[in-house]
Amino acid sequence: MRTIERDTVVDAVAKLCIDANRYLPADVRRAFETAQAKEDNPVAKEVFRQLLENADLAEKSGLPLCQDTGLAVLFVEVGEEVAVNGGLRDAINEGVRKGYADGFLRKSSCDPMTRANRGDNTPAIIHFDVVPGDTLKISFMAKGGGSENMSRVTMLAPSQGYEGIKDFILDRVAEAGPNPCPPILIGVGIGGTFENAAILSKKALLRELDDTHADPETAAKEKELLQLVNDLGIGPMGLGGKTTCLAVKIAMAPVHIASLPLAVNIQCHSARHKEVTL
């Protein structure tokens, strides 16, 4: 059994919080540059110029990419042969507390009824998976209100199939319009149960933008959905253009014979996430 010290986890999580909020992922920057070159609309081109400038300023100044630094969402793969002194959940929450304080990141976590701010952005939203091995993989995602508010879960009838899935996704993006700060990323969770579909959709957003799904049929659906969403013409920041979405990522799980759960999780253009393996 391998032991990881609590402070190691705390420091690693704090760095994830800060870096994800300050530095635009390399795959997103490439997507911005590619999209900017393809746009005919001068307003859309200017939006991408400003997004790239914003990323450069954030990196140079140490300020966050966006004032909404989100709730802290973490996916944690815990090896069966690893233990954390002092408790893993407590260490992660302390890391979030430290990262949001040291990085001068906005604390957005509040009571759902009184709306009183908790002051430290904890407790984090943590999803644990037990996996073989003696390592600890922690993936952090900053989830802002604008994009999260536009996300939805529904229970389709099995007879609605892929056409029903496609219609729901397109309707959701059209209704969302400029609210999630497009160009967006779309995570699609299909199958499992009500809550499982939502988790799958969010986990799908951790994939690289330019990767290809291992299953050719699913890869083809991702490509088709991306084109259909971009054909809506919402464009960057909702001002019109060819690029409403940078990527659609699908994750699926086996489902009950009577159900077809579907989750659409929308992420803003910054796609703030980062991971570490200890």
Side-chain angles (χ1 to χ4, degrees), residues 24-232:
L24 190 72
D27 58 336
V28 178
R29 178 179 284 275
R30 290 194 300 270
F32 283 0
E33 292 168 345
T34 300
Q36 183 184 37
K38 290 180 179 178
E39 287 287 356
D40 298 323
N41 182 346
V43 175
K45 281 185 175 291
E46 173 61 15
V47 169
F48 279 114
R49 187 198 68 77
Q50 290 186 22
L51 290 177
L52 288 164
E53 181 183 28
N54 180 73
D56 291 340
L57 289 170
E59 185 171 343
K60 291 174 183 175
S61 68
L63 294 172
L65 289 158
C66 176
Q67 51 82 25
D68 183 352
T69 53
L71 287 185
V73 179
L74 297 104
F75 290 93
V76 185
E77 295 182 7
V78 187
E80 294 173 322
E81 300 171 35
V82 67
V84 175
N85 276 341
L88 178 54
R89 185 182 295 274
D90 286 346
I92 291 172
N93 276 311
E94 181 58 30
V96 170
R97 191 175 292 113
K98 175 179 170 58
Y100 273 75
D102 292 354
F104 301 99
L105 306 176
R106 195 183 83 183
K107 292 81 173 173
S108 297
S109 180
C110 71
D111 185 280
M113 294 292 105
T114 68
R115 313 308 293 181
N117 197 297
R118 294 186 55 83
D120 61 5
N121 226 42
T122 68
I125 313 300
I126 310 173
H127 303 285
F128 292 102
D129 283 316
V130 178
V131 298
D134 65 352
T135 60
L136 183 66
K137 181 180 178 181
I138 305 173
S139 299
F140 168 86
M141 178 186 296
K143 206 62 172 64
S147 60
E148 191 74 348
N149 288 350
M150 297 299 105
S151 303
R152 295 290 186 273
V153 180
T154 189
M155 302 297 288
L156 298 179
S159 60
Q160 291 177 264
Y162 177 56
E163 289 304 312
I165 291 170
K166 187 161 53 176
D167 289 345
F168 185 85
I169 293 170
L170 293 176
D171 287 348
R172 177 82 299 266
V173 176
E175 290 168 4
N179 292 307
C181 297
I184 56 174
L185 288 80
I186 302 174
V188 179
I190 304 171
T193 54
F194 181 91
E195 82 283 1
N196 187 214
I199 293 171
L200 286 172
S201 70
K202 190 159 287 184
K203 205 169 186 178
L205 292 171
L206 296 174
R207 286 171 51 195
E208 291 285 313
L209 297 192
D210 46 9
D211 73 357
T212 302
H213 199 285
D215 174 53
E217 290 187 7
T218 304
K221 287 180 173 63
E222 290 179 342
K223 186 176 180 180
E224 179 191 15
L225 287 166
L226 177 61
Q227 185 61 56
L228 289 171
V229 169
N230 282 328
D231 285 346
L232 293 173

Side-chain angles (χ1 to χ4, degrees), residues 1-10 78-88 91 133-136 277-278:
M1 179 66 73
R2 175 173 171 249
T3 300
I4 299 176
E5 294 302 319
R6 180 179 185 276
D7 286 350
T8 300
V9 176
V10 170
V78 187
E80 294 173 322
E81 300 171 35
V82 67
V84 175
N85 276 341
L88 178 54
D134 65 352
T135 60
L136 183 66
T277 300
L278 302 176

Side-chain angles (χ1 to χ4, degrees), residues 264-278:
V264 178
N265 197 254
I266 295 177
Q267 179 65 300
C268 74
H269 60 270
S270 291
R272 297 166 298 179
H273 66 90
K274 205 159 184 64
E275 66 182 41
V276 67
T277 300
L278 302 176

